[in-house]
Amino acid sequence: MRNAWRAWQELSGLLLPVACAGCGRPRTELCTACGAALHGAPARLVRPSPRPPGLPAVYAAAPYENAVRAVLLAHKERGALGLAGALGRALAGCVRAGAGWPGDAGPLLLVPVPSARSSTAARGHDPVRRIAAAAARDLRRTGLPAQVLPLLRQRRAVADQSGLGARQRRANLAGALELTAGGGRLLRHELLRHGLLRLGRVILVDDLLTTGSTLAEAARAVGEAGGVGRESSVHGVCRAAVVAASPTAFEINRN
């Protein structure tokens, strides 16, 4: 059923009239102006306030507002799957900024933040994993070896995050993520193979940063499972990249 729904989404995008997901301009899925809002500026280091403990350095392409917000929602909630390429290109720029990319440091390991199974089933796709795959393709096209490692899964159900404050979100997500069966062994193999001291090889990826609680929990799970501990995971192994972040997270790092 899910595959049939996905096929219908892709077919309808070809047959039905198209309008820009960002501004509604006809005959294009993403116009030049809205595309520039996504990836027309360099990726920026962003930081929510308050910053949750354990949050790694996070790079974002654009503030979550106006056209960028509309494009992300169209892809995530309305199944506009053709937008994954543009969103992946924006995410790839953030991955490059976060990795710093010394050319001989080994591959970039993109670890998507997992969606709840119920959300994935309702949407018919996993938006973050789809964007991560598009970002990895973009990175490889420019000569940077990258692969998506879907290592994380939800250990327990969490409440709907909408309407929760920063402290409530941290409590809601504490201990909620873990590595998949075999994920810990795979991660340790990759880290040992390419060296634990090579900064930024593991990049946590998500579509959006708000309070940072989700990425902090993902960093905890990856760091503990990788056998490097919280502080090492934050400062030595992990970085994070998102397509968009709350406007206030951008404002904090202007100063």
Side-chain angles (χ1 to χ4, degrees):
M1 179 63 71
R2 194 174 83 176
N3 290 337
W5 170 242
R6 184 179 298 171
W8 164 247
Q9 287 175 313
E10 294 176 347
L11 181 61
S12 63
L14 295 174
L15 300 180
L16 300 178
V18 175
C20 174
C23 65
R25 181 174 297 177
R27 299 191 183 90
T28 179
E29 192 168 36
L30 184 66
C31 73
T32 301
C34 293
L38 265 178
H39 37 61
R44 290 270 304 280
L45 183 65
V46 294
R47 178 168 56 88
S49 181
R51 180 174 183 166
L55 180 69
V58 185
Y59 287 81
Y64 185 63
E65 59 187 0
N66 304 326
V68 172
R69 179 178 184 274
V71 170
L72 273 170
L73 287 175
H75 175 262
K76 187 173 188 174
E77 305 295 350
R78 299 200 298 278
L81 305 184
L83 296 170
L87 293 168
R89 177 183 166 194
L91 183 64
C94 302
V95 170
R96 291 186 188 95
W101 193 253
D104 60 349
L108 294 169
L109 308 177
L110 276 56
V111 179
V113 171
S115 300
R117 289 183 180 179
S118 58
S119 298
T120 300
R123 292 171 179 144
H125 74 123
D126 185 330
V128 175
R129 190 165 174 178
R130 183 178 290 272
I131 295 171
R137 288 193 295 270
D138 187 274
L139 291 164
R140 290 194 295 269
R141 278 195 296 268
T142 59
L144 305 182
Q147 58 180 308
V148 177
L149 294 182
L151 301 177
L152 294 171
R153 66 184 178 189
Q154 288 197 336
R155 186 191 325 218
R156 59 170 176 80
V158 298
D160 186 353
Q161 297 272 82
S162 60
L164 299 183
R167 181 176 298 179
Q168 293 170 312
R169 289 190 179 206
R170 288 199 299 273
N172 185 40
L173 289 166
L177 299 180
E178 64 180 0
L179 264 72
T180 59
R185 292 192 302 274
L186 176 59
L187 179 61
R188 285 190 290 272
H189 170 76
E190 291 294 336
L191 293 177
L192 291 171
R193 178 184 175 190
H194 300 293
L196 288 175
L197 298 181
R198 299 189 186 279
L199 301 183
R201 298 304 93 203
V202 178
I203 310 289
L204 302 171
V205 296
D206 205 349
D207 56 352
L208 175 63
L209 170 79
T210 49
T211 67
S213 299
T214 302
L215 285 171
E217 169 60 14
R220 179 206 60 77
V222 168
E224 290 184 2
V228 294
R230 178 185 286 273
E231 285 301 310
S232 295
S233 72
V234 172
H235 300 295
V237 177
C238 285
R239 295 290 187 268
V242 297
V243 176
S246 63
T248 56
F250 273 83
E251 291 297 328
I252 285 172
N253 280 329
R254 288 185 189 274
N255 302 322

